[in-house]
Amino acid sequence: MTAALLIIDVQNDYFPGGALPLWNAEATLDAVVDAIDRARARGEAVVLVQHVAASADSPLFQAGTTGVGIHARILAAAPDAPVIVKQYADSFHQTRLSGVLADLGVTRLRIAGMMTQNCVVFTALSPAADRYEVSVLSDCTTTTDRTIHGFALHALTTRVAVRPDA
């Protein structure tokens, strides 16, 4: 079974100084970097996802801004990881993610990233994700506050595995 670690939207707009700093962003970043290191040590693929706003009216992830950039620590931890650019919450929708995972022979998908109740949930529950054994790494995700994070993770447990990275 070939696993991949999918890192969704760990972008500058979600950190202090960005358009929408998230709760627990720095601790989540530390956990994601550690997860990348463990995945690499196990020989797993790492795939990065970057949201780029489809509209100039969006308050986040405007093309050409610092905020749209994937956090430098993620890029340093996974410098050769493919980057999937998306414009929707579901990382599979109208992207090349399915093709990249197929080329890598992935059967197990471990998901980390931002925001828990939005892009993490929509990707984990995507119809395109049904072909994978999906798990969400609870310590490697975050959102606007602890309560929403907890609700989203709990809701996911009826459909996918939710556990800390190990």
Side-chain angles (χ1 to χ4, degrees):
M1 182 179 300
T2 302
L5 176 60
L6 185 66
I7 310 295
I8 301 172
D9 300 350
V10 182
Q11 294 172 243
N12 296 323
D13 267 344
Y14 286 148
F15 290 87
L20 183 63
L22 299 182
W23 163 79
N24 209 30
E26 294 295 335
T28 302
L29 176 63
D30 291 342
V32 172
V33 169
D34 290 345
I36 291 170
D37 292 343
R38 284 190 293 277
R40 293 262 190 222
R42 289 190 295 260
E44 294 177 7
V46 176
V47 178
L48 308 179
V49 176
Q50 178 183 30
H51 195 104
V52 177
S55 165
D57 296 331
S58 175
L60 300 172
F61 308 138
Q62 286 295 317
T65 66
T66 302
V68 76
I70 295 172
H71 196 284
R73 287 187 56 206
I74 298 298
L75 294 174
D80 57 347
V83 176
I84 307 300
V85 175
K86 69 177 179 65
Q87 294 185 320
Y88 297 93
D90 178 349
S91 298
F92 289 97
H93 186 73
Q94 296 183 5
T95 71
R96 60 190 187 93
L97 179 57
S98 290
V100 168
L101 296 176
D103 290 347
L104 293 168
V106 172
T107 57
R108 197 176 79 173
L109 192 58
R110 299 179 329 109
I111 299 175
M114 300 173 174
M115 289 195 284
T116 314
Q117 86 291 359
N118 192 29
C119 297
V120 171
V121 165
F122 278 86
T123 299
L125 300 181
S126 173
D130 287 348
R131 70 190 76 174
Y132 307 101
E133 178 187 322
V134 175
S135 60
V136 172
L137 306 180
S138 58
D139 58 332
C140 296
T141 65
T142 194
T143 191
T144 54
D145 67 51
R146 178 189 304 262
T147 302
I148 292 172
H149 176 70
F151 286 160
L153 289 176
H154 179 72
L156 274 171
T157 63
T158 65
R159 297 277 306 277
V160 302
V162 176
R163 59 179 164 258
D165 184 45

